[in-house]
Amino acid sequence: AQSVTQPDIHITVSEGASLELRCNYSYGATPYLFWYVQSPGQGLQLLLKYFSGDTLVQGIKGFEAEFKRSQSSFNLRKPSVHWSDAAEYFCAVGAPSGTYKYIFGTGTRLKVLA
Amino acid sequence: DAGVIQSPRHEVTEMGQEVTLRCKPISGHNSLFWYRQTMMRGLELLIYFNNNVPIDDSGMPEDRFSAKMPNASFSTLKIQPSEPRDSAVYFCASSPTPGGTEAFFGQGTRLTVV
């Protein structure tokens, strides 16, 4: 069955520190991969996506993610966190073809200490 | 582009009442998704449409829930009768075609059933 696992429910980092949010997926083939961010009371905004090609993808707000096929992972990173990055982050997978729907992980809530 | 538009943003209703949530997808998008977000279950896919046709409704929790897409620019999610456990944030999302791109989310409707 298709699934997405975000093992960290909560993460707290200090402003200026580096960040890595983990995402593992289970899928029959290489899916399309996404990271979304949700600020309180808001909808989900796309940070970045991976379809094919270079396994290191750059997104908005200084975020990047690396696709590792051997580990079925798509971890999100940021070298220096800003207080405004405090939000909930969702990893998602989508099928490249056929019945196309997006499966989301349970999310990681990021807290940033001043 | 105005993005995905959902209405109302907030809905408070009494148990047993009918609730209708509305969504206008981005013009030209052929796929539409309804998600429900709760603390306990995270972001769950309820149903998705492609070219106005329901493709997968396996996530609809029970017969009290129904969704329609009478045309390419409008969809509704109806709950009848509503129950307190239906309280959640309901998101609508759309994407241009099956496969190959990300989903664009609306701001959500926060439903409270008392």
Side-chain angles (χ1 to χ4, degrees):
Chain A
Q2 304 158 3
S3 66
V4 178
T5 302
Q6 294 181 247
D8 304 307
I9 298 174
H10 297 277
I11 282 187
T12 300
V13 299
S14 297
E15 190 170 20
S18 63
L19 172 70
E20 181 169 29
L21 303 183
R22 296 182 290 166
C23 173
N24 292 93
Y25 65 89
S26 174
Y27 203 82
T30 299
Y32 292 159
L33 297 158
F34 310 89
W35 275 99
Y36 285 84
V37 60
Q38 183 182 28
S39 298
Q42 300 298 312
L44 279 73
Q45 180 186 20
L46 182 74
L47 282 176
L48 48 78
K49 59 190 177 185
Y50 173 78
F51 292 162
S52 65
D54 192 346
T55 57
L56 184 65
V57 294
Q58 303 296 320
I60 62 171
K61 304 185 181 187
F63 285 92
E64 67 178 25
E66 185 172 13
F67 168 60
K68 293 186 177 180
R69 185 190 306 274
S70 61
Q71 299 176 19
S72 296
S73 69
F74 188 57
N75 294 347
L76 182 71
R77 300 194 293 249
K78 187 170 185 178
S80 177
V81 170
H82 188 263
W83 64 267
S84 60
D85 294 325
E88 190 152 21
Y89 292 80
F90 293 90
C91 181
V93 300
S97 61
T99 55
Y100 185 49
K101 57 184 181 181
Y102 304 85
I103 306 298
F104 283 80
T106 51
T108 297
R109 186 170 297 276
L110 174 65
K111 182 176 179 180
V112 180
L113 302 177
Chain B
D1 194 330
V4 176
I5 299 173
Q6 292 186 246
S7 63
R9 289 294 309 276
H10 302 274
E11 176 81 39
V12 180
T13 190
E14 292 185 345
M15 182 174 62
Q17 296 298 305
E18 177 180 297
V19 176
T20 299
L21 311 182
R22 297 172 176 79
C23 175
K24 176 179 169 56
I26 294 172
S27 177
H29 284 194
N30 296 332
S31 294
L32 183 139
F33 309 84
W34 282 101
Y35 286 88
R36 178 173 67 176
Q37 186 179 39
T38 61
M39 289 293 293
M40 293 297 296
R41 303 173 71 91
L43 203 61
E44 305 172 274
L45 176 64
L46 300 178
I47 185 170
Y48 91 95
F49 295 85
N50 184 45
N51 290 326
N52 312 338
V53 176
I55 302 300
D56 185 345
D57 65 355
S58 60
M60 296 286 264
E62 49 196 276
D63 292 345
R64 297 185 297 106
F65 286 69
S66 62
K68 294 182 180 180
M69 192 165 185
N71 56 62
S73 59
F74 184 65
S75 176
T76 60
L77 178 68
K78 185 178 294 186
I79 308 173
Q80 167 62 17
S82 58
E83 297 182 3
R85 60 195 169 111
D86 301 330
S87 297
V89 180
Y90 291 81
F91 286 103
C92 177
S94 68
S95 69
T97 59
T101 188
E102 69 270 25
F104 295 78
F105 280 77
Q107 297 280 61
T109 295
R110 180 174 295 277
L111 174 65
T112 304
V113 183
V114 298

